[in-house]
Each structure stands twice: as structure tokens, then as C-alpha cells.
Amino acid sequence: MLIQFLLVTAILLLVVLLGRSTSNARHMAFRRLFLLVFAIASMVAIAFPNLLSRFAQLLGVGRGADLLLYALVVAFIGSLAMNSRRATELARMITLTTRRLAILEAETSTPLNAPGPARPDTDRPISPTPAPDEPGA
Amino acid sequence: MPRATAAEFRRADAWFVVPAFNEGPVIGGVVHEVRAAGFPVVVVDDASSDASGDLARAAGAVVVRHATNLGQGAALQTGIEFALRRGAAYVLTFDADGQHQVEDAVAMLSLAATNDLGFVFGSRFLDDRTDTGTLKRLVLRFAAWFTRHSTGMRLTDAHNGLRVIRADVAAQVDLHQNRMAHATEIVRQLGRTRAPWAEYPVHVLYTDYSRGKGQSLWNSVNILVDLMFR
């Protein structure tokens, strides 16, 4: 009985904690609905363990606990994938922000038409500069 | 926009883009050589913890500094964008560790300008000047093979840091691969522009320094993973 109480409390806590993250509206709505369904299903499974077992047998899985494990593995991999996607998006944002900042900083600290101290041969044309071993030359 | 022909554009319009992360011992020398040949240089200091940025600036480069370390691909993209904003006619990518020769770059630039090529890749395998070790040679051959199959571009040396890219073509480059996998990505993106291109034999000089900084084989694994899970 104690374990049932602990598990249900943990799930409720999870719903509260995960349900209030911020992101784009549709994804967030999906995540919250999924979480809600998952929470209700797991509480039902905790309250009526036989129900889970019968459902598992219906699906051809031996025990309810096995079904739970499989579901958990799938959810875990899904969550890894989602996390890595979000990390990639975040890294992209950081890259773009850093790049913009770096370019603006450099542009404000060095005047536009001064790529560095002037050198005598800056105005030298590229060609004719015969390369020693240019193909086809 | 009319493109500059070989006769029209000057060395001041060909920007060298040099990504640098903790290259303090060599960056000054590399920048100095490029500046002495009359080219503008932008060094992208990828949040080095040493004085790379100051040394590059002192040698005559414009320094663009990332606030956090992002990787060579990200630094390259930053440098390309900066050079284009400065009105570059050509962008040259050049490694900071001193393994490339400025004469090779000039020859490639001249080749690109006279034949109006969109881009020119350096290759260390077109002649026998470059002395690669057997293992490195194998890895690079594999990289070239992989690049050929994933991009359709027949390159002999896909991971050579020396490239010349015409401005209108460079403007179409948008690297998302922040780390080393950008080498394949840039080939793919340049190939997609359908611009005429060429490979040019270059001499890659392996010093103890560049060997020490060079990529380990483990990094090849990272590159493959980066390319597969984008």
C-alpha cells in the first residue's frame, strides 16, 4: 500500500514539474497531453495491478511488469531523442548569437575600410602572377 | 552583380579567413606571411584561452572573436560572413597552424580568377610534395571516398583547409556543422551551387606543431557521427 502511495505521489509531482516548461505552443500542448495520459494510465496500473497484467496478456506480453518495462524503454529513447533535438536547436541559437555578436564587435572596433595596416602591395593585381606549376598554364 | 575579372580585382579584395583556437605559437607568423603578400586577413578567434587574438591583431589581421568556443566549422562560417560584409571578391579559407603555403593560395586565386571558377580546392594528393603518414593517408582517402559518395563531388582530398571561393558562391555557404564535419558539408553546399570548380595541387607542410594539433583518429569517429545524426 505504501508503494502505491509513493508512486502516485511521484507521478503527480512529475506532472506538475514537467507540465510547466516553456516552448512552442503545439509541442508543449502535445507533451502535456501525453504526460496527462501517461500519468492517469500509470496510476490506474498502480491501483489495479491485475488490470495491467490482463492488458499485457492481451498484447501477448507475459506479465504487466514486462509491459511496463517495454513502455519505459520506448519512452526513454523517445525522451533522449527529444532532448538531443532540443540541444541541437539550442546549440544553433548559441552559434548564431555568438556569430552576430562577434561580427558586430569586430565591425565597431575596426573601421570599415581598414583591413589592417596598409601594405605596399595590397593593390597589386592577382594576375599575372605565374604560379610555378599551374596546371594547364 | 558583375564579377571582378582577374585584371580588375586587387589583392585587397581577396580575404583570407583563418579560424584559430589556441594557436598562439604560430598565428602571428601565418598572419604576417599573408599580410606581407598584400592580402587582408580575418582571424576568427574561437574563444582561445591564450593570446591568439592579440597576436593575430598585432600581425595585421582583423580579429573576430567568438564569446564561447564553437568549433572550426562555426568559426569558418563567421569568417566567411565577415569577409563578405567587407566586400570580399574572393574568400580563402586557410588553416592557422602554418601547414598551408601562401604561394599555393595565390596560385589557386589566379587559377580561379583567370578561369572564372566558383571555387578551387587544394589537394595534397595531386602531386608528391606532401609527405602524409600511411595512417593519415588512409583516413584522408576514406574521407574523400565518403565525401564523394555523400556529395557526388569527385575530390581527391576532402579535408584540405585551403580553399578559394568566389564571393557570390561563398554567399550560398551556410555551415551548420560547428565542429570538424564542416569539411564535408562545405563540399556538399558548394557542389550544389553548380559553379565551375577545380582542384589544385598544394603542399601541406607537416610540422611537429601541426602534427600535435592535428586530428586524432578518434575525431574521425566524431565526424562520422556528426554527419549521420544531424
Side-chain angles (χ1 to χ4, degrees):
Chain A
M1 274 325 261
L2 180 65
I3 185 66
Q4 285 182 324
F5 172 75
L6 285 178
L7 286 174
V8 170
T9 315
I11 288 164
L12 287 177
L13 209 70
L14 220 65
V15 170
V16 172
L17 287 180
L18 290 183
R20 62 173 184 192
S21 79
T22 53
S23 184
N24 98 49
R26 205 160 63 124
H27 282 181
M28 191 161 62
F30 269 130
R31 217 173 46 241
R32 287 176 170 175
L33 284 177
F34 176 79
L35 191 66
L36 196 69
V37 171
F38 192 77
I40 291 171
S42 35
M43 283 191 284
V44 170
I46 289 163
F48 311 103
N50 290 333
L51 214 62
L52 185 65
S53 280
R54 248 185 290 158
F55 185 55
Q57 269 154 13
L58 212 69
L59 293 175
V61 181
R63 299 177 305 163
D66 292 342
L67 180 64
L68 200 65
L69 185 64
Y70 298 153
L72 206 62
V73 167
V74 171
F76 176 64
I77 292 174
S79 133
L80 276 186
M82 196 191 74
N83 270 322
S84 104
R85 231 193 75 186
R86 292 187 69 181
T88 309
E89 280 167 15
L90 211 61
R92 182 81 191 136
M93 285 194 265
I94 292 173
T95 299
L96 293 177
T97 310
T98 306
R99 175 169 301 140
R100 174 52 54 91
L101 184 70
I103 290 177
L104 287 181
E105 238 173 29
E107 281 179 348
T108 45
S109 64
T110 42
L112 243 175
N113 42 14
R119 298 292 160 109
D121 47 2
T122 292
D123 284 330
R124 205 164 86 206
I126 286 304
S127 59
T129 322
D133 43 6
E134 192 175 323
Chain B
M1 189 182 76
R3 288 193 295 263
T5 63
E8 285 164 8
F9 93 95
R10 305 159 306 144
R11 293 197 173 207
D13 299 325
W15 279 77
F16 277 60
V17 171
V18 183
F21 176 60
N22 292 344
E23 303 281 6
V26 288
I27 188 75
V30 170
V31 169
H32 185 79
E33 251 180 74
V34 177
R35 292 294 296 145
F39 296 100
V41 192
V42 53
V43 167
V44 183
D45 177 4
D46 198 11
S48 299
S49 53
D50 67 0
S52 292
D54 294 333
L55 291 164
R57 198 175 289 113
V62 178
V63 174
V64 178
R65 182 175 161 86
H66 283 166
T68 56
N69 181 252
L70 295 176
Q72 198 183 6
L76 215 50
Q77 181 65 38
T78 299
I80 291 171
E81 285 187 22
F82 182 84
L84 291 178
R85 284 170 69 112
R86 285 286 167 112
Y90 284 93
V91 173
L92 293 93
T93 68
F94 205 75
D95 284 354
D97 57 9
Q99 62 172 353
H100 296 316
Q101 322 300 311
V102 176
E103 310 87 74
D104 282 340
V106 173
M108 286 164 66
L109 204 49
S110 160
L111 180 72
T114 39
N115 298 312
D116 199 26
L117 299 174
F119 51 99
V120 178
F121 287 117
S123 171
R124 73 200 95 180
F125 296 123
L126 287 179
D127 62 19
D128 49 12
R129 280 181 296 167
T130 302
D131 177 29
T132 25
T134 317
L135 193 58
K136 197 175 182 74
R137 197 180 189 86
L138 274 176
V139 171
L140 287 168
R141 289 289 190 195
F142 174 75
W145 174 86
F146 182 86
T147 303
R148 200 153 54 236
H149 279 258
S150 60
T151 67
M153 302 275 287
R154 306 202 130 268
L155 290 183
T156 55
D157 185 6
H159 282 241
N160 196 302
L162 183 48
R163 313 173 188 89
V164 172
I165 312 171
R166 204 175 58 204
D168 60 307
V169 177
Q172 297 175 58
V173 171
D174 182 19
L175 300 174
H176 283 226
Q177 294 285 358
N178 275 3
R179 286 171 292 171
M180 295 311 294
H182 70 270
T184 299
E185 193 182 25
I186 198 169
V187 172
R188 184 185 300 127
Q189 292 185 355
L190 288 174
R192 243 185 245 143
T193 65
R194 304 243 159 250
W197 62 283
E199 271 194 319
Y200 189 85
V202 299
H203 183 199
V204 172
L205 199 67
Y206 293 110
T207 57
D208 286 341
Y209 179 83
S210 72
R211 258 186 251 273
K213 287 283 280 201
Q215 296 181 52
S216 72
L217 285 177
W218 290 112
N219 223 350
S220 320
V221 176
N222 289 332
I223 291 173
L224 278 179
V225 172
D226 275 349
L227 285 172
M228 279 187 282
F229 301 98
R230 277 185 298 156

